[in-house]
Amino acid sequence: MTGQGLEGFYRAGRRLLSRCRVRVSGREPLAVQARMTAADRARFVGTLRASPHSGPDPDIVVERIRQADGTERITLHSTALRPLRVPVEVALGTDLAELGAIASGAAPPELAASVGDSGLRWSGPTGGSTVTADPPPADALASAGLLRWEFELPPGGSRSVELRVRPEGAGPVRAVGRAAASPLAPAQASGDDPRVQQLLLTSVEDLNALLLRDPAHPSDLHLAAGAPWRCGPAPADALAAARMTLPLGTRLAAGTLRTLARTQLPGTGPQSGMIPGPRRDAGTHLPPGCTGTEATLHFPVLLAEARRWGLPDTETEEMLPAAERCLTWLRTIVGDGTYLCDPHPGGPVRCETQAHAHRAALLGADLLDACGRPGGTELRQWAQALRTAFREAFWIDDLGGGRPAAARAADGTPVPHLGAGAAHLLDTGLLGGGELAPGLLDKVQTEQLARLLGGPAMDSGWGLRGLAAKEAGYNPFGHRTGAVRVHETAIAVAGLAAAGYEKEASALLRGALSAAEAFDYRLPEMYAGEQRTDGSAPLPHPAACRPAATAAAAGVLLPVALAGIRPDAPAGTVTLRPVQCAPVGEIVLTGLRIAGAPFSVRVSRLGLAMVEEAADGLQLGV
């Protein structure tokens, strides 16, 4: 931890420690490995020669285990044949900078330290931090930010120092996912491709590490967007991730819905019923988008699909008024028009937003009908009008067969660039009896979109690019202009598979699995969209969260999409539509949840699915 870039220990958006450098016998160990061993833990290994008679081989191994709760254990292992006396120095420093200042490259200089109990202390205008050591150092130099020890290492012996980083006056940090019973079932995968099993296992571990509690309602758990940049609530991401993890049970969905329902805007104005959220960069071709709009449209969809996966009727009824307010907001904003426009005057009509709104209207209408509430007919009529208009106004004919517009400007001009947002047109949502809601595109347009998403301009070989490689402004590291976003890749795989375009779905799936392997199955939210070549590896994005909620949840959606599981718990049925080309060979998913009971399914190498465990009375649909 050198103090450069974003390195450091953080808590509540503030960097408590930015520099932690270890010297043994006056030298820094030679780094030989650094890797994450869990969602909240990393291991660093270095070596050095402390004895002049050891030859070319190192005789001290320095192991550093760093945990997200603010502890680091530094252990020296001796392989020397004689006792060693080694001085150890740890140089510490911090700027107590806010995360936003660090992200923009405007972090202040380091602060002066003072000696505290068993360590060092730093103070600034808005707080302070301390580092304590066990065992206490033999010497502490505030001016240099140094802690010193002198250890005797017998042949084959070890000595350790544990550092604890804390905000001044704060107690120890406990991760919710470690302290509370997880709302996610411990599902497992097995079969011909071991990567599927490892990805699912690591994804569930990452999700548990990102769990947050609503402080006022501690039984309600939801997901942080990711570390280190978005450790707080992000409504759109929390809802999207909870939806992808419905196969692991409905508890996370219920906690997320209850938490966000409490943030819903009250009153009778045009924003009444909206779930607020920040604006988000949309790339070079469009202005920033409103994640509040996205979250408000996700809310009724998650409730409707959670009910299909087995959310109890009492909890559905509890959240139904909030979902109704979201749907009322949608109809109010649309008014007598056809499209859901950008909330800012003069903003574009976004393709992706219409896909979210269309799905919310159809699944919301289905939910209202099932619960005996009015409004379903009006929502379906609007969705039908939107489909008719969209297929004409948002489709751009060209010599390549056409493409959907990314948006329409305020004057009606189409924004023609091809990006990953188009994949959301395939994500139509689950209705009753295992049926999917109709999409905004017709059959011919859907087939063309499948070709585009599976083509070399969009498929990087590691997943779906945020922007096609041939488009103006393409940047393989661009957040929305070329980087591979794992969430959108998984949405594309699931949508393509459900629509019957198995070749394109399988190629994207295999690319995502290869990327997962390269990242030790702990997928970041995004990585560079450089084209895959023989012997290459995906390039990490320097600003990506890892772990990230939507990326980890994608690790659940991908294997479930292979099995094509479509439950209807209220009707007591489940329908299976597996990917018949079996792109990863045989796969067995166990420990999923439908109607609150364990559910297991096997998909053979011939693409045939068989239920191996299910709730009593759950029937296999046609």
Side-chain angles (χ1 to χ4, degrees):
M1 194 185 298
T2 64
Q4 302 297 313
L6 60 87
E7 294 176 3
F9 272 115
Y10 294 81
R11 186 171 178 185
R14 184 178 300 280
R15 181 156 61 183
L16 304 182
L17 187 69
S18 59
R19 184 166 52 89
C20 181
R21 307 187 77 155
V22 177
R23 289 192 291 268
V24 179
S25 298
R27 290 171 292 148
E28 289 197 18
L30 175 67
V32 296
Q33 188 184 70
R35 60 186 295 266
M36 293 182 72
T37 57
D40 58 354
R41 185 170 62 251
R43 179 176 185 258
F44 307 89
V45 179
T47 62
L48 56 82
R49 287 185 294 158
S51 170
H53 309 293
S54 63
D57 299 328
D59 53 11
I60 292 182
V61 176
V62 181
E63 179 187 56
R64 301 173 67 175
I65 304 294
R66 186 174 299 156
Q67 302 196 79
D69 65 357
T71 62
E72 178 165 334
R73 190 169 186 84
I74 303 166
T75 303
L76 278 63
H77 304 278
S78 172
T79 59
L81 299 177
R82 63 188 68 189
L84 296 176
R85 180 186 292 270
V86 289
V88 176
E89 293 181 340
V90 177
L92 304 167
T94 189
D95 48 19
L96 295 177
E98 295 283 353
L99 191 58
I102 298 166
S104 63
E110 285 190 357
L111 298 168
S114 60
V115 176
D117 294 336
S118 303
L120 297 174
R121 179 186 297 119
W122 297 265
S123 296
T126 57
S129 69
T130 62
V131 174
T132 57
D134 182 20
D139 194 13
L141 299 178
S143 59
L146 277 180
L147 303 180
R148 290 175 172 170
W149 297 261
E150 190 158 312
F151 291 139
E152 297 279 353
L153 288 175
S158 300
R159 291 295 303 270
S160 295
V161 171
E162 185 167 276
L163 305 177
R164 299 180 183 88
V165 185
R166 299 283 183 267
E168 208 162 39
V173 177
R174 287 200 308 170
V176 170
R178 299 290 184 264
S182 172
L184 304 172
Q188 295 186 2
S190 59
D192 293 336
D193 192 331
R195 297 177 300 176
V196 179
Q197 175 182 2
Q198 192 58 51
L199 176 60
L200 179 59
L201 203 66
T202 306
S203 295
V204 173
E205 183 183 81
D206 283 1
L207 290 165
N208 282 325
L210 290 169
L211 289 173
L212 296 176
R213 264 199 191 98
D214 185 335
H217 301 83
S219 63
D220 291 341
L221 299 177
H222 60 286
L223 291 167
W229 302 111
R230 297 189 294 157
C231 293
D237 285 7
L239 289 162
R243 182 178 174 226
M244 289 190 285
T245 59
L246 284 172
L248 305 182
T250 60
R251 284 183 56 206
L252 177 61
T256 303
L257 289 166
R258 278 193 291 265
T259 299
L260 294 180
R262 291 188 282 269
T263 72
Q264 204 168 28
L265 297 178
T268 57
Q271 291 189 323
S272 173
M274 190 177 187
I275 295 171
R279 290 175 67 75
R280 179 171 60 199
D281 177 62
T284 56
H285 298 279
L286 292 170
C290 177
T291 63
T293 297
E294 188 176 331
T296 309
L297 298 173
H298 282 351
F299 190 99
V301 169
L302 177 59
L303 180 58
E305 292 196 321
R307 178 176 172 271
R308 296 292 176 194
W309 281 92
L311 184 71
D313 289 343
T314 54
E315 295 188 77
T316 302
E317 290 287 344
E318 178 190 354
M319 263 85 74
L320 188 58
E324 287 183 294
R325 289 192 290 271
C326 291
L327 296 170
T328 300
W329 169 86
L330 169 60
R331 293 299 296 125
T332 301
I333 293 298
V334 171
D336 295 328
T338 303
Y339 302 113
L340 179 58
C341 299
D342 197 89
H344 297 274
V349 179
R350 302 172 196 261
C351 169
E352 186 176 332
T353 301
Q354 309 319 303
H356 295 325
H358 183 258
R359 182 183 62 211
L362 292 178
L363 270 65
D366 188 59
L367 178 67
L368 295 175
D369 289 353
C371 296
R373 302 293 184 96
T377 299
E378 182 184 6
L379 286 167
R380 288 192 187 90
Q381 289 173 346
W382 173 74
Q384 175 62 60
L386 176 61
R387 277 199 302 278
T388 301
F390 187 93
R391 291 173 182 179
E392 177 69 27
F394 269 79
W395 191 259
I396 302 172
D397 290 315
D398 57 31
L399 297 177
R403 62 171 62 187
R408 290 178 66 84
D411 62 1
T413 305
V415 180
H417 75 272
L418 177 64
H424 292 274
L425 292 169
L426 301 171
D427 180 19
T428 59
L430 180 64
L431 296 176
E435 294 297 319
L436 297 178
L440 280 174
L441 301 180
D442 62 28
K443 184 176 181 180
V444 173
Q445 292 170 338
T446 301
E447 183 175 354
Q448 173 63 7
L449 177 59
R451 289 197 198 99
L452 292 171
L453 296 180
M458 287 297 294
D459 184 357
S460 70
W462 303 112
L464 194 70
R465 292 186 176 97
L467 182 68
K470 295 181 180 180
E471 300 289 341
Y474 166 73
N475 172 6
F477 284 94
H479 277 66
R480 304 278 168 180
T481 54
V484 173
R485 302 186 72 85
V486 177
H487 169 213
E488 288 176 325
T489 298
I491 289 292
V493 169
L496 289 166
Y501 300 100
E502 296 190 354
K503 177 183 175 183
E504 293 82 0
S506 298
L508 287 171
L509 169 69
R510 286 191 286 263
L513 287 175
S514 296
E517 185 178 21
F519 286 109
D520 290 331
Y521 301 99
R522 180 155 287 110
L523 281 166
E525 65 173 323
M526 61 183 168
Y527 42 88
E530 267 203 346
Q531 186 62 43
R532 182 178 181 177
T533 58
D534 290 343
S536 67
L539 296 176
H541 193 292
C545 287
R546 181 172 180 250
T550 53
V556 178
L557 177 61
L558 288 171
V560 172
L562 282 176
I565 304 170
R566 303 181 189 176
D568 188 353
T573 64
V574 61
T575 303
L576 302 177
R577 295 285 188 271
V579 177
Q580 295 183 355
C581 67
V584 296
E586 183 179 71
I587 180 174
V588 181
L589 300 176
T590 59
L592 303 177
R593 291 291 186 274
I594 296 179
F599 182 82
S600 301
V601 63
R602 179 186 300 270
V603 180
S604 73
R605 296 183 186 95
L606 299 177
L608 301 175
M610 180 176 66
V611 175
E612 297 195 333
E613 183 181 20
D616 292 340
L618 190 67
Q619 301 294 317
L620 188 62
V622 178

